[in-house]
């Protein structure tokens, strides 16, 4: 009985091919939109997690000011000193490394080319806390750091813009007015979590940066890397207590610095992305309901057009449930075909958008299966009423229908 109903449904769809295609267009768009939104959203979540992890694992960032904000938001609070980083390393249990970091923008010149980049002053521990690797060259020697030697490490973007295919290692570049030798090139990291180019930087010893670039000893960020297995809250509490003592804050004073846990930041951003993905998927699912209404509308028209055919079937002995099943299967087949076409379109759209947005393409069979099952359920839901109407026709009145 099911096979006969399926054959009849396919014949009916083939008789009105264009109308059938227009009927399922809503389902096609709905399924394609839902799958594409969820797939691209999952890829964006993975990209954010990877970019935040690129900042460093088990990393805390300590900044002046009570909260995170735009550049300069923490200028009212006292800056840190290099001694604060050393004190955290020596006195807070669970700390693996600390790196004081001072930043400034500036122009670097080499081979007759100019490039505006981020200038960073820090120690060799900056490589560890920031999860940086050297593509070539070496880190600074103790003597170079202590003496404030004119040496630097450059990011991949600076290497490409200033040196192109030529070797950068051992070459001289001018940072503002200071000649500086390139002793190392950092391995590329790519785009950061906030859309910034992480490879557009020149790093030099902290003493060099303070004496010859900015002329002061203020530190903007303390990078703190924790040992594996230690409780983040414990290390964080130790840092807060130590810095409050060093900054002479009384019990009633609020902290004039903030401690950011990059792992917590990754979880927050990932959670936000997932919520946005679900929201967009829910909005796209509305198209499926609209597609279901289209199927119900066309099925009602089909029942009206085929009233005499239904009456004839009922008159020669067909039962109500057979007629109901025939029209119900026809509606489900229409929705299922729409679901399959939508899945195919979603595959191409997801690959294209993932490449365009530079996020990984994540194929999720569960989402595809769920979207297809939902489209079939739409066929059952919106096809039942026309099918029931056809099954309950009076055979005599149906045969008299013009």
């Amino acid at each position: 009985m099911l096979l006969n109903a399926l054959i009849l449904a396919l014949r009916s769809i083939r008789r009105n091919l264009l109308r059938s295609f227009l009927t399922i267009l809503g389902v096609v768009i709905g399924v394609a939109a839902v799958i594409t939104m969820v797939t691209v959203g999952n890829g964006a979540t993975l990209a954010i997690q990877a970019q935040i992890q690129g900042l460093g694992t088990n990393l805390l960032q300590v900044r002046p000011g009570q909260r995170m904000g735009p550049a300069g938001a923490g200028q009212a609070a006292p800056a840190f000193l290099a001694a604060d980083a050393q004190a955290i390393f020596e006195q807070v249990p669970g700390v693996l490394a600390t790196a004081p970091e001072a930043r400034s923008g500036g122009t670097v010149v080499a081979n007759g080319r100019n490039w505006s980049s981020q200038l960073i002053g820090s120690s060799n521990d900056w490589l560890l806390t920031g999860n940086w690797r050297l593509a070539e060259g070496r880190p600074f020697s103790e003597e170079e750091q202590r003496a404030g030697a004119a040496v630097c490490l450059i990011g991949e973007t600076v290497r490409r813009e200033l040196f192109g295919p030529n070797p950068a290692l051992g070459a001289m570049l001018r940072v503002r007015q200071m000649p500086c030798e390139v002793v190392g090139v950092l391995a590329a990291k790519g785009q950061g979590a906030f859309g910034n180019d992480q490879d557009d930087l020149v790093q030099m010893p902290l003493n060099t940066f303070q004496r010859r670039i900015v002329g002061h000893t203020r530190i903007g960020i303390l990078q703190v890397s924790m040992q594996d297995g230690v409780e983040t809250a414990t290390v964080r509490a130790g840092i807060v207590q130590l810095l409050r003592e060093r900054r002479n804050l009384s019990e009633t004073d609020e902290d004039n610095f903030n401690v950011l846990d990059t792992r917590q930041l990754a979880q927050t951003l990932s959670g936000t992305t997932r919520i946005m993905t679900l929201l967009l998927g829910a909005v796209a699912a509305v198209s499926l309901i609209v597609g279901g209404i289209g199927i119900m509308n066309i099925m009602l028209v089909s029942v009206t057009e085929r009233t005499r055919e239904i009456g004839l079937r009922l008159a020669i002995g067909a039962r109500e449930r057979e007629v109901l099943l025939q029209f119900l299967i026809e509606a489900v087949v229409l929705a299922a075909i729409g679901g399959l076409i939508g899945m195919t379109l979603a595959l191409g759209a997801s690959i294209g958008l993932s490449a365009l947005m530079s996020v990984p393409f994540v194929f999720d069979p569960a989402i595809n299966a769920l979207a297809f099952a939902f489209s079939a359920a739409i066929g059952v839901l919106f096809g039942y009423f026309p099918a029931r109407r056809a099954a309950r026709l009076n055979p005599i009145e149906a045969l008299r229908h013009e």
Side-chain angles (χ1 to χ4, degrees):
M1 185 169 65
L2 281 174
L3 182 61
N4 288 336
L6 180 62
I7 293 172
L8 287 172
L10 291 173
R11 284 177 180 170
S12 174
I13 292 170
R14 194 176 60 182
R15 275 201 302 268
N16 301 286
L17 210 53
L18 179 59
R19 189 174 75 177
S20 298
F21 175 74
L22 294 176
T23 302
I24 64 175
L25 201 53
V27 177
V28 171
I29 294 172
V31 170
V34 169
I35 295 176
T36 303
M37 290 297 104
V38 174
T39 302
V40 175
N42 288 340
T45 302
L46 278 183
I48 288 174
Q49 289 174 342
Q51 288 165 357
I52 297 248
Q53 285 172 356
L55 292 174
T57 55
N58 292 338
L59 180 68
L60 295 175
Q61 287 188 341
V62 190
R63 297 169 182 260
Q66 292 183 342
R67 61 183 183 277
M68 291 285 293
Q75 285 183 354
F80 298 114
L81 300 173
D84 293 321
Q86 188 63 28
I88 290 173
F89 176 69
E90 293 176 348
Q91 300 179 36
V92 178
V95 171
L96 179 65
T98 57
E101 180 183 299
R103 287 182 177 246
S104 179
T107 302
V108 289
V109 182
N111 290 329
R113 301 176 183 176
N114 297 346
W115 183 252
S116 295
S117 183
Q118 277 284 316
L119 310 179
I120 298 174
S122 190
S123 63
N124 279 337
D125 282 339
W126 179 82
L127 299 174
L128 175 63
T129 58
N131 200 25
W132 286 98
R133 290 185 301 104
L134 282 169
E136 54 182 328
R138 59 171 177 83
F140 309 128
S141 68
E142 288 297 327
E143 177 61 27
E144 288 170 340
Q145 294 188 82
R146 189 167 47 251
V151 290
C152 62
L153 308 177
I154 61 174
E156 173 58 24
T157 299
V158 177
R159 187 207 63 75
R160 184 181 65 245
E161 295 295 335
L162 294 184
F163 299 99
N166 300 318
L169 200 61
M172 297 296 293
L173 54 78
R174 196 171 74 245
V175 182
R176 294 188 179 174
Q177 300 302 318
M178 180 188 74
C180 188
E181 180 188 357
V182 178
V183 298
V185 178
L186 299 166
K189 272 192 174 182
Q191 193 178 50
F194 303 102
N196 57 306
D197 182 0
Q198 298 182 93
D199 303 316
D200 189 5
L201 60 90
V202 176
Q203 194 235 340
M204 59 191 71
L206 182 62
N207 283 341
T208 309
F209 182 85
Q210 291 178 332
R211 295 172 188 169
R212 307 178 69 170
I213 300 296
V214 293
H216 59 73
T217 58
R218 294 193 294 272
I219 302 295
I221 304 174
L222 300 178
Q223 307 275 14
V224 181
S225 181
M226 297 175 289
Q227 297 170 2
D228 290 336
V230 300
E231 288 289 337
T232 303
T234 305
V235 177
R236 183 175 184 153
I239 293 173
V240 170
Q241 182 180 355
L242 177 63
L243 289 180
R244 286 185 63 86
E245 292 172 1
R246 293 181 62 83
R247 293 162 86 87
N248 297 319
L249 297 177
S250 67
E251 292 184 357
T252 56
D253 290 336
E254 294 183 344
D255 296 341
N256 56 8
F257 57 90
N258 66 83
V259 183
L260 172 68
D261 181 359
T262 54
R263 190 164 42 193
Q264 188 179 32
L265 177 63
Q267 291 170 351
T268 303
L269 289 177
S270 298
T272 304
T273 309
R274 276 194 287 270
I275 290 173
M276 290 301 297
T277 299
L278 289 175
L279 181 63
L280 290 172
V283 171
V286 173
S287 302
L288 273 174
I289 297 175
V290 174
I293 294 172
I295 288 177
M296 184 170 68
N297 186 37
I298 291 301
M299 290 302 299
L300 285 172
V301 172
S302 180
V303 169
T304 302
E305 288 177 349
R306 294 156 63 185
T307 299
R308 284 179 63 84
E309 173 192 327
I310 297 167
L312 185 59
R313 288 196 63 197
L314 291 171
I316 61 177
R319 288 173 291 186
E320 285 188 10
R321 66 175 184 177
E322 291 175 341
V323 175
L324 185 142
L325 192 62
Q326 175 191 342
F327 281 89
L328 195 57
I329 285 179
E330 189 171 326
V332 173
V333 168
L334 281 171
I337 291 174
L340 288 173
I341 297 174
M343 287 168 62
T344 306
L345 289 178
L347 181 65
S350 300
I351 293 173
L353 282 175
S354 297
L356 190 65
M357 297 169 64
S358 300
V359 299
F361 169 68
V362 183
F363 179 76
D364 189 344
I367 293 299
N368 285 264
L370 187 64
F372 179 76
F374 191 59
S375 69
I378 287 287
V380 174
L381 183 66
F382 289 94
Y384 180 76
F385 175 68
R388 181 169 170 269
R389 185 172 180 180
R392 293 194 171 184
L393 284 175
N394 185 307
I396 298 175
E397 292 182 358
L399 287 170
R400 288 176 179 171
H401 182 78
E402 294 295 336

